[in-house]
Amino acid sequence: DMGQIRNSISLALVFWGYSDLFSNHERKFVVKVFIACIFHNSAIVILPIYWIVKSINRISPWIIYSSIVLIIPLLFVDIRDLFMLLTFLPQVLIYKIIFYTESEVYGQSVGLGMSFILRILVLIGLFAFKKKGHECYNYYDLLLNLYLAGIIIYILFSSVEQFAVRFTNYFKMLEYIILPIFIILSKNKVLKFVLFFLVSAYAGWSLYKLLTEPELAEQLLPYKSILS
């Protein structure tokens, strides 16, 4: 599927750009994001969110936490009609909004599923390791804020699965950086082993699900395999 390929290339470019961002090479990061937008428009969501989270440390953490709690009910509210108010957008984007919001396949609500629960668990881990992480990694606060922003976007667009997933994948893939950090920052070998086991189990389960779930396997792996 050409759309999946374009989106994958866009994700790869943004992920590459994160190495520049965390090394304080902001211009290189912005350039890579713009190149990613050539492959998939959804990458543009990164830039406004990044510029917002740059100043988020000036806001009281309790205001941020309270905001998250207040918007969680949106997981159960259908806000698709609000998307129809975005008439100022280019025609091609309006077409995509109408297509996805009215689609029976792509327009479903994500709800309070396993994906959201896992994101919350990772966020809790980020806060749990915040003090030590801040000491060891100068980009830890930015990493936390970006991941937090991804969760907020996931909640806001939860009425339309395609929007929630496509927009937040750019933040969810930060788990490739976050989870190894958890293992490194763990105090003892037992905890390191437990975290390593949980991460490996989650990765294995995700791969197994992609290869065996009929709807996903047909779209992402249209070839026969030993698991078919």
Side-chain angles (χ1 to χ4, degrees):
D1 182 273
M2 185 58 70
Q4 294 286 350
I5 294 172
R6 291 189 298 105
N7 189 224
S8 298
I9 294 173
S10 178
L11 286 166
L13 285 166
V14 172
F15 191 70
W16 182 20
Y18 280 139
S19 63
D20 296 318
L21 181 62
F22 297 146
S23 301
N24 295 318
H25 298 143
E26 185 177 293
R27 289 184 180 178
K28 292 182 179 180
F29 169 70
V30 172
V31 168
K32 288 183 174 70
V33 171
F34 275 121
I35 295 174
C37 290
I38 297 174
F39 290 94
H40 206 279
N41 293 331
S42 59
I44 196 63
V45 72
I46 290 291
L47 292 180
I49 296 301
Y50 164 62
W51 286 320
I52 290 173
V53 301
K54 275 181 65 177
S55 58
I56 205 169
N57 286 328
R58 302 171 190 171
I59 304 173
S60 170
W62 290 108
I63 295 178
I64 299 171
Y65 306 151
S66 301
S67 300
I68 295 174
V69 172
L70 290 174
I71 66 173
I72 282 180
L74 290 177
L75 284 167
F76 310 99
V77 176
D78 191 342
I79 59 171
R80 283 179 290 184
D81 291 340
L82 295 180
F83 296 140
M84 297 298 103
L85 300 177
L86 304 177
T87 54
F88 57 88
L89 295 175
Q91 194 66 33
V92 63
L93 294 181
I94 294 176
Y95 167 78
K96 287 189 175 184
I97 290 174
I98 295 174
F99 173 76
Y100 286 127
T101 53
E102 296 183 356
S103 172
E104 294 183 0
V105 177
Y106 302 111
Q108 298 179 0
S109 173
V110 294
L112 187 62
M114 183 58 68
S115 179
F116 178 73
I117 293 172
L118 289 172
R119 291 168 199 247
I120 292 298
L121 289 176
V122 172
L123 182 64
I124 292 172
L126 281 167
F127 282 114
F129 286 108
K130 184 175 182 181
K131 183 177 180 180
K132 195 170 181 180
H134 183 74
E135 295 172 356
C136 299
Y137 303 95
N138 60 355
Y139 56 82
Y140 191 88
D141 289 342
L142 178 58
L143 184 66
L144 189 156
N145 291 338
L146 285 171
Y147 193 80
L148 175 61
I151 292 177
I152 293 174
I153 293 173
Y154 186 84
I155 296 173
L156 291 175
F157 289 93
S158 60
S159 295
V160 183
E161 181 181 10
Q162 193 71 0
F163 292 157
V165 173
R166 283 284 175 90
F167 289 147
T168 59
N169 274 343
Y170 296 99
F171 305 97
K172 182 171 173 52
M173 65 181 177
L174 289 170
E175 290 175 4
Y176 293 118
I177 302 172
I178 295 169
L179 297 179
I181 287 178
F182 287 172
I183 296 173
I184 293 171
L185 295 180
S186 301
K187 293 182 178 180
N188 55 65
K189 293 183 179 180
V190 175
L191 183 56
K192 288 179 184 291
F193 175 79
V194 170
L195 287 174
F196 179 78
F197 174 79
L198 291 175
V199 170
S200 301
Y202 173 59
W205 174 78
S206 299
L207 181 60
Y208 178 79
K209 185 178 178 182
L210 286 173
L211 294 175
T212 58
E213 191 168 310
E215 293 183 3
L216 292 175
E218 189 174 333
Q219 296 176 22
L220 304 177
L221 191 67
Y223 308 105
K224 294 293 182 180
S225 70
I226 59 174
L227 297 175
S228 300

